Amino acid sequence: MGLLEGKKGIIFGVANERSIAWAIAQALNKEGMELAFSYAGEALESRVRPLAESIGAKLVLPCDVTDDAQIDAVFDTLSKEWGGLDALVHSLAFAKKEELKGEFVNTSREGFKVALDVSAYSLVALARRAMPLMEGRPGSIITLSYYGSEKVIQNYNVMGVAKAALEASVRYLAADLGAKNIRVNTISAGPIKTLAAMGITGFKSILDQVEAKAPLKRNVTQEDVAKTALYLLSDLSSGVTGEIIYVDAGFNIIGF
Ligand code: NAD
Ligand code: IMJ
């Protein structure tokens, strides 16, 4: 019997087969969890639906996280179809392309607002709706962060500030939701070649530096991240909440 047999989870953030969220979905499904998926915008439905169907998922729902009505609709459907929820995966981020180059000091007011809204506030919005469905299950919520929240990384700019807000939100949410036996944690992943890393100036050089400096002398894969997600979303991590777990081949512990 799988670790997650009889449990139900929703995955936000699959764009294609390279998405970290897709690797997490496969790992959860392998352990018996029934999954629902959301997609951001019609263009992505044709990518997400076949992936979801390949693992027998029936609920594939539209959800742009900047739209409260779409978020409400997702949780209404979950409430009607499932009547409860055990796991939520928040694996999404967005900043305008022009904000991810040049100097952070030039971040526009609108660029700051968009990055923080999509990449950080969305976790709060989703957690609040998940709460009544998870109450007494116990529940587990995870999100994905990056080291640029704590150290300055070239071109990451306003996304670094958004990830800092995301990580702080995880701690405040963990404090609020703990009494309901809902845990909230972050995985801080090393760089991985996904859609969110495409066209980023200097990305290859960052991968090379991780390989050279990280204790494990390699980069991490989506599967490395998915295995830690499985731990955080299962009873194996029953005593862990409000944490940042690094899946970065150890890169963050190295000074110079
Ligand atoms: P990805 O492009 O596959 O996933 C990003 C997802 O964000 C996409 O599915 C996209 O549809 C979604 N998204 C963007 N705007 C949205 C909106 N308004 N509403 C709903 N969804 C929206 O890339 P990924 O690398 O799998 O990224 C997943 C998460 O992992 C992100 O939070 C990212 O910051 C984080 N992360 C990535 C890396 C990396 O190097 N790839 C490293 C550490 C953390
Ligand atoms: C993204 C930008 C700059 C440097 C970066 C990254 N490094 C890494 C990433 C070093 C690892 C990937 N990452 C951790 C992200 O969180 C990416 C978020 C992202 C990516 C894009 C690209 C396309 C776009 N907007 C984006 N918004 C957020 O238009």
Side-chain angles (χ1 to χ4, degrees):
M1 189 170 126
L3 267 178
L4 301 170
E5 218 68 55
K7 298 204 180 286
K8 298 185 191 317
I10 180 155
I11 316 277
F12 293 85
V14 176
N16 58 36
E17 64 293 338
R18 282 218 295 270
S19 294
I20 294 170
W22 176 238
I24 294 173
Q26 289 174 286
L28 299 177
N29 177 253
K30 219 169 117 192
E31 291 298 326
M33 184 175 273
E34 184 176 351
L35 296 173
F37 290 85
S38 77
Y39 58 90
E42 269 170 39
L44 283 177
E45 182 178 5
S46 61
R47 312 226 53 146
V48 178
R49 197 170 285 282
L51 292 174
E53 284 172 357
S54 75
I55 58 168
K58 292 185 187 73
L59 300 177
V60 183
L61 310 165
C63 189
D64 177 332
V65 296
T66 61
D67 183 346
D68 282 325
Q70 289 187 38
I71 301 179
D72 285 337
V74 166
F75 285 90
D76 282 351
T77 304
L78 293 183
S79 178
K80 282 197 199 92
E81 297 288 329
W82 287 351
L85 185 68
D86 303 284
L88 186 152
V89 175
H90 175 281
S91 181
L92 55 92
F94 181 78
K96 297 180 184 197
K97 216 174 175 49
E98 62 265 29
E99 303 291 0
L100 299 175
K101 56 183 172 215
E103 294 192 335
F104 171 72
V105 71
N106 293 322
T107 304
S108 69
R109 187 184 298 274
E110 180 61 16
F112 191 98
K113 188 181 145 284
V114 167
L116 274 281
D117 186 19
V118 177
S119 315
Y121 179 74
S122 60
L123 179 71
V124 184
L126 297 180
R128 186 165 63 251
R129 270 85 163 190
M131 213 164 44
L133 289 173
M134 285 184 166
E135 215 170 326
R137 299 276 292 200
S140 180
I141 297 173
I142 62 164
T143 185
L144 270 295
S145 193
Y146 178 59
Y147 191 51
S149 65
E150 359 180 347
K151 298 286 184 225
V152 173
I153 304 221
Q154 206 171 27
N155 297 321
Y156 203 55
N157 297 356
V158 73
M159 269 310 306
V161 175
K163 292 299 194 189
L166 179 73
E167 291 174 10
S169 301
V170 163
R171 291 186 285 272
Y172 279 88
L173 289 170
D176 285 350
L177 276 52
K180 298 187 157 63
N181 205 12
I182 302 169
R183 298 182 294 107
V184 190
N185 291 287
T186 315
I187 295 174
S188 184
I192 302 175
K193 225 169 159 187
T194 64
L195 197 58
M198 288 297 157
I200 303 300
T201 312
F203 193 77
K204 173 73 169 67
S205 140
I206 283 171
L207 289 175
D208 290 345
Q209 288 181 59
V210 170
E211 198 175 312
K213 287 192 196 151
L216 296 180
K217 299 289 171 246
R218 66 170 178 92
N219 278 285
V220 296
T221 63
Q222 288 89 334
E223 289 68 34
D224 288 316
V225 175
K227 285 187 271 184
T228 291
L230 173 60
Y231 154 76
L232 287 173
L233 294 169
S234 75
D235 183 63
L236 289 174
S237 60
S238 54
V240 179
T241 195
E243 290 292 350
I244 302 170
I245 312 282
Y246 294 87
V247 180
D248 66 347
F251 184 80
N252 78 93
I253 70 161
I254 299 298
F256 70 91

